C-alpha cells in the first residue's frame, strides 16, 4: 500500500491499522439478531453468524440457487419483516420452508447492512477499497490475503462463509443470471456500508449541498466502483483468499521456533513414553505419560461435548455432522477440532 498509494501531496496517507483493545460495547439485551455485533453473537451462542442466518443460507443453497435474480430482485417488505421478527424471537431455529427465495435473500442482505460496523470492519474497510483502487492487479491477491489476516476472527469466519455461499450462487449463473459482478452490485453497499452518512464530520447541510445535483462526487464513485470490483474478485477467488502464503508460513514457523513453542512430534512423544515404561516398568501408571496426556484430552473433550460450550467456532458441514474448532492456550499454534456425528440406534 505504501508503494502504490496516492502521493501525500494529494492530502491522503495510508498506514497499517493499529491493533487496539476492544472497546466495551453495549449489552444489546433488547436485540437478538439484527444490529448485534458479531463478537456478541460469539459470546452468546458460540457462532459469529446466528443459527437462523446459517439456516437461511443453507435453505437458499439447497432450494433457491436456480432463482433468477437472487439478491437482485426485491422481496415483499411485510414478509421480510415477519422473517426478521421470527429470527428475533427464535434465533436458534427458524423454518424457511415455503418462504420466497427473494424474501430470505433480502433478509440476509439486511442482516449485513444492519451490523453496527461493516463486515469488512471500520478499520479495514478503507484498506480493502484502496487495494482495488491502487494496487496492481497482479499483486491484489497477496494484498487482500494480508488484509484478511488482519480482520478479527469472527469477521473473517463470516466473510469466508458468505463468500463460499456466493460462489455457489454463481455456479448456477446460467439459471439465476447472477455473475460475481451482479452479486457485488447488490451486496457491496451492505458489506462495505458505503454511504455519505458514514462520515460523521459532515453536517446535514453539507450532505444536502453535496447531493443537491443528484450526482455523487468522484471519490464516492471511485469507492463504489472499487467495492463492486473488489467484492466480485473476492467471490470469484473465495477458494484461494484464505490460503496463507508459503513465505508467511515459513516466517511464522521460524518465529515459533525462536520462541521455543514448537511441540514435539507424536513419534517422539511415543518413543519417550516407551523409554519411560522400560525404565520404570510401571505400565499401569500413565500419569504424566503420552497416553495419559491423550486420555486426559479425550475426557475433557467428552465433557465439553455434553456442555453447550461458547468457545467453539462452528463450521459448515454435511447433514447430521457438527464440526467445530477452538483455540487452546497451550503454546501450540494449532487449533483443537471437534466432530460430533449422530449415529442411529437399531434394536436387535
Amino acid at each position: 500500500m505504501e508503494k502504490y498509494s496516492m502521493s501525500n501531496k494529494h492530502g491522503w496517507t495510508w498506514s497499517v491499522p493499529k491493533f487496539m483493545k476492544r472497546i466495551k460495547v453495549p449489552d444489546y439485551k433488547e436485540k437478538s439478531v439484527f444490529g448485534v455485533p458479531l463478537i456478541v453473537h460469539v459470546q452468546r451462542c458460540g457462532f459469529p453468524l446466528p443459527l437462523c442466518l446459517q439456516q437461511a443460507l443453507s435453505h437458499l443453497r439447497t432450494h433457491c440457487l436456480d432463482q433468477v435474480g437472487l439478491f437482485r430482485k426485491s422481496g415483499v417488505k411485510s414478509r421480510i419483516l415477519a422473517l426478521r421478527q421470527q429470527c428475533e424471537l427464535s434465533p436458534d431455529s427458524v423454518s424457511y420452508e415455503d418462504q420466497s427465495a427473494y424474501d430470505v435473500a433480502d433478509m440476509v442482505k439486511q442482516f449485513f447492512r444492519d451490523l453496527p460496523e461493516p463486515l469488512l470492519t471500520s478499520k479495514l474497510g478503507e484498506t480493502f477499497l484502496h487495494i482495488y483502487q491502487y494496487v496492481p492487479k497482479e499483486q491484489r491477491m497477496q494484498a487482500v490475503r494480508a488484509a484478511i489476516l488482519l480482520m478479527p476472527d469472527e469477521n473473517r469466519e463470516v466473510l469466508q462463509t458468505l463468500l463460499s455461499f456466493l460462489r455457489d450462487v454463481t455456479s448456477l449463473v446460467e439459471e439465476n443470471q447472477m455473475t460475481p459482478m451482479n452479486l457485488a452490485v447488490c451486496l457491496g453497499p451492505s458489506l462495505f456500508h458505503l454511504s455519505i452518512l458514514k462520515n460523521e464530520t459532515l453536517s446535514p447541510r453539507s450532505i444536502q449541498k453535496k447531493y443537491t445535483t443528484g450526482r455523487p462526487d468522484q471519490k464516492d464513485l471511485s469507492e463504489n466502483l472499487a467495492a463492486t470490483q473488489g467484492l466480485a474478485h473476492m467471490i470469484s477467488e473465495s477458494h484461494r483468499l484464505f490460503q496463507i502464503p508459503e513465505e508467511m508460513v515459513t516466517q511464522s514457523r521460524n518465529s515459533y521456533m525462536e520462541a521455543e513453542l514448537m511441540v514435539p512430534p507424536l513419534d517422539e512423544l511415543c518413543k519417550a513414553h516407551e523409554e519411560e515404561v522400560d525404565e520404570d516398568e510401571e505400565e499401569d501408571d500413565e500419569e504424566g505419560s503420552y497416553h495419559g496426556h491423550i486420555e486426559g484430552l479425550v475426557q475433557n473433550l467428552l465433557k465439553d461435548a455434553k456442555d453447550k460450550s461458547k468457545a467453539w467456532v462452528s463450521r459448515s458441514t454435511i447433514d447430521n455432522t457438527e464440526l467445530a474448532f477452538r483455540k487452546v492456550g497451550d503454546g501450540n499454534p494449532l487449533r483443537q477440532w471437534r466432530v460430533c456425528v449422530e449415529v442411529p440406534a437399531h434394536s436387535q
Side-chain angles (χ1 to χ4, degrees), residues 38-75:
L38 298 178
I39 185 62
V40 174
H41 289 302
V42 174
Q43 294 166 350
R44 288 178 177 176
C45 64
F47 313 114
L49 196 62
L51 285 175
C52 58
L53 263 295
Q54 295 182 40
Q55 293 164 351
L57 294 180
S58 177
H59 172 78
L60 292 173
R61 177 182 272 122
T62 305
H63 303 289
C64 309
L65 294 188
D66 60 344
Q67 298 296 300
V68 177
L70 189 66
F71 285 103
R72 177 172 56 82
K73 290 186 177 180
S74 299

Side-chain angles (χ1 to χ4, degrees), residues 144-295:
V144 174
R145 280 174 169 174
I148 287 175
L149 286 175
L150 292 174
M151 295 176 68
D153 289 349
E154 59 272 12
N155 293 71
R156 190 188 314 109
E157 299 287 347
V158 173
L159 178 64
Q160 186 174 18
T161 299
L162 179 63
L163 291 178
S164 175
F165 165 75
L166 294 177
R167 192 162 183 264
D168 288 345
V169 174
T170 63
S171 67
L172 291 182
V173 62
E174 293 184 0
E175 297 181 42
N176 58 39
Q177 299 178 12
M178 294 305 290
T179 64
M181 185 62 73
N182 289 341
L183 285 172
V185 170
C186 299
L187 290 164
S190 297
L191 300 188
F192 285 91
H193 288 194
L194 292 178
S195 171
I196 188 62
L197 297 176
K198 70 183 179 181
N199 191 340
E200 297 177 355
T201 61
L202 290 181
S203 65
R205 180 177 296 180
S206 300
I207 296 173
Q208 182 179 7
K209 180 179 179 181
K210 190 170 186 178
Y211 281 95
T212 299
T213 60
R215 296 193 303 270
D217 63 15
Q218 188 59 41
K219 183 176 183 296
D220 293 330
L221 291 173
S222 178
E223 284 188 351
N224 276 276
L225 180 61
T228 302
Q229 293 178 339
L231 182 55
H233 173 261
M234 287 191 282
I235 293 172
S236 301
E237 301 292 342
S238 61
H239 59 299
R240 298 174 54 208
L241 280 184
F242 299 87
Q243 298 174 2
I244 302 178
E246 181 60 33
E247 62 272 15
M248 195 174 293
V249 174
T250 302
Q251 185 180 19
S252 175
R253 186 183 300 120
N254 291 337
S255 67
Y256 277 112
M257 293 178 66
E258 292 172 3
E260 298 181 350
L261 292 175
M262 296 304 292
V263 178
L266 289 179
D267 55 349
E268 289 187 15
L269 288 172
C270 290
K271 184 178 179 181
H273 171 64
E274 291 172 358
E275 292 176 354
E276 289 175 7
V277 172
D278 291 339
E279 291 177 3
D280 301 337
E281 295 183 355
E282 295 181 357
E283 298 188 22
D284 293 335
D285 185 8
E286 294 188 343
E287 184 176 354
S289 69
Y290 162 66
H291 289 290
H293 175 65
I294 295 298
E295 179 63 25

Side-chain angles (χ1 to χ4, degrees), residues 19-179:
F19 287 99
M20 301 173 63
K21 292 183 178 179
R22 292 188 185 276
I23 300 174
K24 187 176 181 181
V25 296
D27 54 23
Y28 295 95
K29 290 182 178 179
E30 73 283 0
K31 299 179 180 179
S32 298
V33 175
F34 294 88
V36 178
L38 298 178
I39 185 62
V40 174
H41 289 302
V42 174
Q43 294 166 350
R44 288 178 177 176
C45 64
F47 313 114
L49 196 62
L51 285 175
C52 58
L53 263 295
Q54 295 182 40
Q55 293 164 351
L57 294 180
S58 177
H59 172 78
L60 292 173
R61 177 182 272 122
T62 305
H63 303 289
C64 309
L65 294 188
D66 60 344
Q67 298 296 300
V68 177
L70 189 66
F71 285 103
R72 177 172 56 82
K73 290 186 177 180
S74 299
V76 178
K77 289 184 178 180
S78 59
R79 296 201 299 252
I80 298 170
L81 179 60
L83 282 175
R84 288 175 59 115
Q85 291 173 342
Q86 288 183 45
C87 287
E88 291 292 337
L89 294 174
S90 180
D92 292 342
S93 179
V94 174
S95 174
Y96 296 99
E97 190 176 355
D98 299 328
Q99 297 287 350
S100 163
Y102 305 109
D103 295 341
V104 179
D106 255 359
M107 187 199 72
V108 170
K109 191 179 351 180
Q110 289 182 16
F111 171 81
F112 290 102
R113 186 193 65 195
D114 292 352
L115 286 174
E117 77 161 359
L119 177 61
L120 297 170
T121 77
S122 301
K123 295 178 183 177
L124 289 169
E126 189 176 28
T127 299
F128 279 101
L129 294 178
H130 289 160
I131 287 173
Y132 288 102
Q133 285 176 296
Y134 307 115
V135 176
K137 287 186 177 181
E138 62 274 11
Q139 297 187 33
R140 285 178 183 172
M141 176 63 74
Q142 181 181 0
V144 174
R145 280 174 169 174
I148 287 175
L149 286 175
L150 292 174
M151 295 176 68
D153 289 349
E154 59 272 12
N155 293 71
R156 190 188 314 109
E157 299 287 347
V158 173
L159 178 64
Q160 186 174 18
T161 299
L162 179 63
L163 291 178
S164 175
F165 165 75
L166 294 177
R167 192 162 183 264
D168 288 345
V169 174
T170 63
S171 67
L172 291 182
V173 62
E174 293 184 0
E175 297 181 42
N176 58 39
Q177 299 178 12
M178 294 305 290
T179 64

